[in-house]
Amino acid sequence: MILTLTLNAALDVTYRVDRLRPRGSNRVRSTAERAGGKGINVARVLHALGRETVVTGFAGGAAGETLRRDLAAARLPERLLPIAGETRRTVAVVDESAGDTTILLEPGPAVPTEDWARLLDHVDRLLTQASAAVFSGSLPPGAPEDAYGRLVRLAHAHRVPAVVDADGAALRAALAAGPDLVKPNADELAAATGLADPVAAAGALVDAGAGAVVASLGPDGLIAVTPQGSWWAMPPEQLAGNPTGAGDAAVAALTLGLVDATPWPERLAEAVALSAAAVAAPLAGDFDPDVHRRLRALVDVQPLHSQRSS
Amino acid sequence: MILTLTLNAALDVTYRVDRLRPRGSNRVRSTAERAGGKGINVARVLHALGRETVVTGFAGGAAGETLRRDLAAARLPERLLPIAGETRRTVAVVDESAGDTTILLEPGPAVPTEDWARLLDHVDRLLTQASAAVFSGSLPPGAPEDAYGRLVRLAHAHRVPAVVDADGAALRAALAAGPDLVKPNADELAAATGLADPVAAAGALVDAGAGAVVASLGPDGLIAVTPQGSWWAMPPEQLAGNPTGAGDAAVAALTLGLVDATPWPERLAEAVALSAAAVAAPLAGDFDPDVHRRLRALVDVQPLHSQRSS
């Protein structure tokens, strides 16, 4: 199975209102709750593709219980670690008249040192059955800055390949541990390296220890810098929709490529097609299977002729 | 004990943000959760005054569990009836820079006929130990319009006096059952009767069946129309603060007056002092004991010399 870890998982709540009146009292027309967080989105995509996956991370309090129940309803196996704190919520207030959304992000519980130690033991046990591990998203308050570095080393001690989707200090601190793949987006890549050119920046992350770097460039597709070569994969068309979760769909495809040892151009085509299919689906973690099928053969993958290519 | 029933109880959530940016992503600095609803506020005041009280109503789902735990932490005895639906939340987003608040009100679960029947049985059992019953707040979707009328009849079948704090159709439908006291505010009184003069309107509610009517007029205090006479009770000074829960504090005082058979002028003085002390406390359901003590002897209670007085 593929283990996905979301250290800062959330219960994503959506409120629909006729029109949001700031400073007023607003009647919510409908509410929806869904387990959220980047690793959970990756697991949803893997599960929809028929692959075995296990969700882990922390869950606590009433929101944690609701999150677990949502995963059970989606038949997503989870081994979340119970904590005393309350899992954070994110509230998206959708203004039906204006067609826009206001987001409120709870801070989430701090992770005490004991919980962090328990999590490492817990992941250690789960890794005995894993074919790959995906470590995704921001770190909760209290987690050590090199959390992903330690987790990558733990995975490698089990000979399990590790994928890291993080940014800033958490990404930089992971590189020395040699993650098999990191997947920043264009902004995260520039922020982590100080380099404006994405190919040069991806190369810098490889130099710093990453086994391979795939950067998501939004509508411009993906670039990959790997030991086997460098490529640019472009979607055949632009789809309107919800970009949240598109990067997670790419991570799911790239992790499967790693597990199945698919040639890079094929992996990247699949990642672009799944990303676009995720944009076409309204909820993060879902993808449109028709769009996925239709685009898969149409993605254009070109070698990058920089000094790093081939 | 005094039984307080809140059919539409809520978990009141407060989010503090530096500045609310509509259409943006807002980091919540702190979150607080508290059991809310008019009957629960009444019970908090009774409890702080050292009187025995039991909270009832419906509670379900994760929010219902958190609501129960908050009541337990406040040592407020509760006999909430478990339901399959999820207790509603209200979210108050406090903008720390602007000093204003945006409120989001979840609709809450509809009450199926079976749950309504179970509640009547449940209240029937609780009334065997009650010295008074307080029925407060709006009706949840699915509750019968004459819910409070049926509950008043149930209380009277146990020879328990019943206080109703409701408005609109729920208030009108309760009157024929002869509640011992109703406590509309000025707006609710005008809406229920179509009469602009509060004394005439209160008289109309007595004519329609109420044993006594006390109307809260905000900073202008209270008026009472009762079989023993009519009075106007005025606070000695105006206090700045949070008016939410002030009416509930008045209901707590008036219910104690009913149970203890205190003379009306004393009851009304206590209701005005507790209301003002509730305005001086930041959270609905709390009151400032120093303000309460200081104002109690200073409230001015005057007979109303209308045709209804004495």
Side-chain angles (χ1 to χ4, degrees):
Chain A
M1 60 83 174
I2 295 171
L3 181 66
T4 77
L5 170 72
T6 314
L7 287 176
N8 213 0
L11 183 66
D12 289 340
V13 179
T14 304
Y15 283 167
R16 292 182 181 276
V17 299
D18 291 344
R19 173 172 290 282
L20 179 62
R21 291 179 301 117
R23 293 171 299 282
S25 194
N26 298 272
R27 294 214 168 264
V28 174
R29 290 297 159 199
S30 74
T31 70
E33 293 180 323
R34 185 171 157 105
K38 293 169 79 72
I40 289 173
N41 293 341
V42 172
R44 285 189 196 276
V45 173
L46 290 171
H47 183 72
L49 292 170
R51 304 297 288 250
E52 253 191 278
T53 180
V54 169
V55 165
T56 192
F58 298 114
E65 262 316 295
T66 307
L67 189 152
R68 276 176 193 275
R69 275 202 301 274
D70 181 61
L71 292 176
R75 295 172 180 276
L76 266 177
E78 58 89 356
R79 296 285 300 278
L80 291 161
L81 194 66
I83 51 167
E86 172 96 14
T87 293
R88 73 196 176 107
R89 292 164 188 266
T90 70
V91 179
V93 185
V94 179
D95 182 322
E96 299 275 7
S97 309
D100 56 38
T101 301
T102 302
I103 295 188
L104 297 157
L105 301 167
E106 290 188 7
V111 178
T113 314
E114 315 83 75
D115 283 347
W116 173 247
R118 284 170 60 223
L119 183 88
L120 285 179
D121 278 356
H122 182 69
V123 170
D124 195 40
R125 280 190 297 275
L126 293 171
L127 281 166
T128 59
Q129 277 132 56
S131 57
V134 179
F135 305 131
S136 291
S138 57
L139 300 180
E145 192 173 279
D146 68 336
Y148 287 137
R150 296 197 209 174
L151 287 159
V152 168
R153 288 192 191 94
L154 200 56
H156 286 173
H158 288 272
R159 302 182 182 279
V160 171
V163 176
V164 172
D165 184 3
D167 68 350
L171 169 58
R172 282 194 304 272
L175 295 171
D180 298 82
L181 175 73
V182 298
K183 196 225 59 63
N185 64 30
D187 290 344
E188 291 164 352
L189 189 56
T193 60
L195 299 170
D197 173 48
V199 180
L205 294 190
V206 169
D207 292 343
V213 177
V214 176
S216 48
L217 309 180
D220 291 332
L222 300 172
I223 57 158
V225 173
T226 84
Q228 289 78 42
S230 298
W231 291 270
W232 184 14
M234 280 284 288
E237 59 188 83
Q238 298 300 329
L239 288 154
N242 173 19
T244 310
D248 304 326
V251 168
L254 295 167
T255 304
L256 287 179
L258 193 62
V259 169
D260 300 344
T262 320
W264 271 103
E266 204 176 303
R267 269 185 224 189
L268 296 170
E270 174 69 1
V272 166
L274 258 184
S275 261
V279 169
L283 293 176
D286 291 351
F287 64 89
D288 183 321
D290 294 333
V291 172
H292 175 223
R293 258 190 300 276
R294 185 166 58 78
L295 296 192
R296 202 157 31 179
L298 304 174
V299 178
D300 185 26
V301 184
Q302 296 291 337
L304 280 170
H305 298 292
S306 77
Q307 63 184 70
R308 289 197 163 270
S309 64
S310 89
Chain B
M1 60 84 175
I2 296 171
L3 181 66
T4 76
L5 170 71
T6 313
L7 286 176
N8 212 0
L11 182 66
D12 290 340
V13 180
T14 303
Y15 283 168
R16 293 183 179 275
V17 299
D18 291 343
R19 174 173 290 284
L20 179 62
R21 289 177 303 118
R23 295 171 299 284
S25 193
N26 298 272
R27 292 211 170 268
V28 174
R29 292 293 159 202
S30 74
T31 70
E33 292 180 324
R34 184 171 159 109
K38 294 168 80 71
I40 289 173
N41 294 341
V42 173
R44 284 187 197 275
V45 173
L46 291 171
H47 183 70
L49 292 171
R51 303 297 288 250
E52 254 192 278
T53 179
V54 168
V55 166
T56 192
F58 298 115
E65 262 315 296
T66 307
L67 190 151
R68 276 176 192 275
R69 274 202 303 274
D70 181 60
L71 293 176
R75 296 173 180 278
L76 266 177
E78 57 88 357
R79 298 284 300 277
L80 292 159
L81 194 66
I83 51 166
E86 171 97 13
T87 292
R88 73 196 176 107
R89 289 163 192 268
T90 70
V91 179
V93 185
V94 178
D95 182 322
E96 298 276 6
S97 309
D100 57 37
T101 301
T102 302
I103 296 188
L104 298 157
L105 300 168
E106 290 188 6
V111 178
T113 314
E114 315 84 75
D115 282 346
W116 173 246
R118 283 170 60 224
L119 184 88
L120 286 178
D121 279 355
H122 181 69
V123 170
D124 194 38
R125 278 190 298 274
L126 292 171
L127 281 166
T128 59
Q129 276 130 57
S131 58
V134 179
F135 305 131
S136 292
S138 57
L139 300 180
E145 192 173 279
D146 68 337
Y148 287 135
R150 297 198 209 174
L151 286 160
V152 168
R153 286 191 193 94
L154 200 56
H156 286 174
H158 288 272
R159 303 183 182 280
V160 170
V163 176
V164 172
D165 184 3
D167 68 348
L171 169 59
R172 282 194 304 273
L175 294 171
D180 298 81
L181 175 72
V182 298
K183 195 227 59 62
N185 64 30
D187 289 344
E188 291 163 354
L189 190 57
T193 60
L195 299 171
D197 173 47
V199 179
L205 294 191
V206 170
D207 292 343
V213 178
V214 176
S216 48
L217 310 179
D220 291 332
L222 300 172
I223 58 158
V225 174
T226 84
Q228 288 77 39
S230 298
W231 290 271
W232 184 14
M234 279 282 288
E237 60 189 85
Q238 299 299 327
L239 288 154
N242 174 19
T244 312
D248 304 325
V251 169
L254 295 167
T255 305
L256 287 179
L258 193 61
V259 170
D260 300 344
T262 318
W264 270 104
E266 205 176 304
R267 269 186 225 192
L268 296 170
E270 174 69 1
V272 167
L274 257 184
S275 261
V279 170
L283 293 177
D286 292 350
F287 65 89
D288 182 320
D290 294 333
V291 172
H292 175 224
R293 257 190 302 276
R294 183 165 60 78
L295 296 191
R296 200 155 33 178
L298 303 175
V299 177
D300 184 26
V301 184
Q302 296 291 338
L304 279 169
H305 297 291
S306 79
Q307 64 183 68
R308 287 197 167 271
S309 64
S310 87

